[in-house]
Amino acid sequence: MLEGAVGVVITIFIVNILYVAISTVRLLLTMKGYRYLAAFVSMLEMIIYVVALSLVLNNLNNIVNVIAYAVGYGVGLFIGMKIEERLALGYITVNVITKEYNLDLPNQIREKGYGVTSWLANGRDGERMMLEILTPRKYEHKLYKQIIAIDEKAFIVSSEPKQIHGGFWVRHVRRLQAKQNQENE
């Protein structure tokens, strides 16, 4: 009898982890515009959800089952976010503010394969150089490290663009991806 009860608890826990992880990834795919893949993933999500929910509803007499469901939900959310972090879908725009003109940060970043737009800006303490860089999300941390290696005092802020159209960036980002893929091989 104990084996069956423990088995149900473990099954509820594992099934809910799968459900929530897939749900998280599906939500992120939807937000990134991967409609067809998100629709396919949602079918898997619903199958797992029905199984998990039926297990809990059929075994509500044991509070441990409900706790396993809740803990599985939290762990599943964490795992789903880690999966999305690894997938790193989409692009980011990195804004850099520096006062170090003599470092020639825009050209050093361009030499590393990134598209950079730069302009003169004014801050509280005077003139600054502002840079805007578009890169695939999977290269975000590498770009941060490269910027900080050149100017450790640079102020860096990133955001996720909703749409990108035309211009040097789109062509250049595709070339950057090909270059990075070659380096990783």
Side-chain angles (χ1 to χ4, degrees):
M1 183 75 178
L2 184 60
E3 270 184 19
V6 171
V8 169
V9 169
I10 291 170
T11 303
I12 289 170
F13 177 72
I14 291 171
V15 170
N16 211 32
I17 287 174
L18 289 172
Y19 161 66
V20 178
I22 289 172
S23 177
T24 303
V25 170
R26 189 251 325 138
L27 176 65
L28 295 166
L29 288 170
T30 302
M31 290 172 41
K32 302 284 185 183
Y34 294 89
R35 293 180 191 129
Y36 299 111
L37 184 56
F40 176 75
V41 169
S42 72
M43 290 186 294
L44 296 174
E45 174 189 356
M46 283 300 101
I47 291 168
I48 294 169
Y49 175 71
V50 168
V51 170
L53 192 59
S54 69
L55 278 170
V56 171
L57 292 177
N58 289 334
N59 295 288
L60 277 177
N61 56 339
N62 189 345
I63 190 69
V64 176
N65 294 337
V66 177
I67 292 169
Y69 187 86
V71 173
Y73 195 96
V75 171
L77 183 63
F78 180 78
I79 290 172
M81 289 187 309
K82 286 295 185 185
I83 291 170
E84 193 280 332
E85 196 176 282
R86 289 257 187 215
L87 292 174
L89 300 171
Y91 297 90
I92 60 152
T93 301
V94 178
N95 292 307
V96 181
I97 302 172
T98 181
K99 65 178 181 176
E100 303 297 332
Y101 295 100
N102 58 340
L103 295 177
D104 197 20
L105 188 59
N107 285 328
Q108 288 191 54
I109 297 297
R110 285 183 190 112
E111 287 171 7
K112 296 184 183 304
Y114 297 95
V116 180
T117 300
S118 62
W119 62 91
L120 182 65
N122 289 303
R124 184 188 75 183
D125 297 328
E127 288 187 346
R128 301 284 185 259
M129 180 176 296
M130 181 83 179
L131 290 79
E132 190 166 63
I133 307 161
L134 178 71
T135 187
R137 274 193 54 227
K138 62 183 169 183
Y139 304 131
E140 179 178 6
H141 296 292
K142 183 177 181 178
L143 175 60
Y144 291 168
K145 288 178 185 176
Q146 292 171 333
I147 292 168
I148 291 168
I150 298 167
D151 181 3
E152 63 184 28
K153 294 181 181 178
F155 178 71
I156 305 169
V157 178
S158 65
S159 59
E160 202 167 326
K162 185 165 170 72
Q163 291 184 339
I164 302 171
H165 173 76
F168 169 78
W169 276 358
V170 174
R171 288 189 314 269
H172 188 72
V173 165
R174 288 193 184 118
R175 279 191 297 241
L176 175 65
Q177 283 178 313
K179 181 181 176 182
Q180 296 280 355
N181 288 338
Q182 288 174 350
E183 289 175 5
N184 291 336
E185 290 176 354

